[in-house]
Amino acid sequence: MSSNTVVRLADEFREVMAGVCTPVSVVTALTSEGRPHGTTVSAFASLSMTPPMVMVSLDRGSDLLAHVRETGRFGLNVLDSRQSAVALRFASKGADKFAGVGWETHTGVPRVLGSGGFLGCTVADLVGGGDHIILLGTVVAAESVPGRPLTYHDRVFGTHAALEEASR
Ligand SMILES: Cc1cc2nc3c(=O)[nH]c(=O)nc-3n(C[C@H](O)[C@H](O)[C@H](O)COP(=O)(O)O)c2cc1C
């Protein structure tokens, strides 16, 4: 493939992925010193029902990934539509992302208060995929909270809207 073709493919790939509407979550872990750390992700999906498992894709350079490798646990905080500021905060780099954010320890991982749902997971496997690592997590705790989900589509935050009954 010529370098022009590679650049065009990468641009088109980005555009197609921008059109995929995703949920927004904060993946969390405790550091070896017991400090909370978290990272905003859109690449999260359900994987298995028996046993309950999920998968999350993290950039190989993610600091959160290093903490998950150390502790073997992670939390998934599915964000509510009122938490776009939380999503932006955890999409940055740094050790103090939890400053001013309400949280508690749940099944050995940080749970962000006010989130729309929480999954506590243990790491079942780590699978390489290009420049990312896929965390395969076994769910050991699950709590749903009624509300509206925070979504990411076309590079902006939003929420889900049901279609009119007649057009389903
Ligand atoms: C809406 C949104 C979705 C994101 N999804 C992912 C993702 O799925 N995987 C990932 O590795 N980074 C994702 N990021 C980028 C990370 O949040 C960002 O690189 C963060 O600074 C990594 O922090 P860390 O090094 O402390 O782990 C996303 C950012 C935003 C704003």
Side-chain angles (χ1 to χ4, degrees), residues 85-142:
V86 174
L88 285 177
R89 165 177 275 258
F90 284 96
S92 62
K93 283 289 211 189
D96 60 349
K97 290 191 250 184
F98 264 93
V101 175
W103 67 283
E104 63 186 11
T105 303
H106 192 298
T107 55
V109 294
R111 175 182 178 155
V112 178
L113 301 181
S115 296
F118 172 79
L119 300 174
C121 304
T122 56
V123 175
D125 209 350
L126 298 170
V127 182
D131 54 12
H132 278 54
I133 296 286
I134 304 162
L135 304 180
L136 304 189
T138 304
V139 176
V140 295

Side-chain angles (χ1 to χ4, degrees), residues 24 37-43 57-59 61-64 90-93 97 132 152 157:
V24 185
H37 193 86
T39 292
T40 298
V41 301
S42 53
S57 176
L58 285 176
D59 189 288
S62 158
D63 295 334
L64 194 265
F90 284 96
S92 62
K93 283 289 211 189
K97 290 191 250 184
H132 278 54
Y152 195 62
F157 293 115

Side-chain angles (χ1 to χ4, degrees), residues 78-85 114 116 147-151 157-160:
V78 181
L79 296 187
D80 181 271
S81 61
R82 292 164 298 185
Q83 290 180 299
S84 56
R148 307 191 71 197
L150 183 66
T151 58
F157 293 115
T159 191
H160 174 73

Side-chain angles (χ1 to χ4, degrees), residues 12-97:
E12 286 299 322
F13 176 59
R14 265 190 219 100
E15 282 312 304
V16 171
M17 294 314 296
V20 177
C21 185
T22 64
V24 185
S25 306
V26 174
V27 185
T28 55
L30 289 175
T31 67
S32 47
E33 300 87 43
R35 246 186 333 98
H37 193 86
T39 292
T40 298
V41 301
S42 53
F44 149 59
S46 171
L47 172 64
S48 159
M49 284 306 294
T50 313
M53 294 181 74
V54 291
M55 56 187 180
V56 185
S57 176
L58 285 176
D59 189 288
R60 287 179 190 267
S62 158
D63 295 334
L64 194 265
L65 175 61
H67 299 310
V68 173
R69 282 186 193 277
E70 273 178 19
T71 59
R73 288 178 175 271
F74 63 94
L76 258 158
N77 298 270
V78 181
L79 296 187
D80 181 271
S81 61
R82 292 164 298 185
Q83 290 180 299
S84 56
V86 174
L88 285 177
R89 165 177 275 258
F90 284 96
S92 62
K93 283 289 211 189
D96 60 349
K97 290 191 250 184

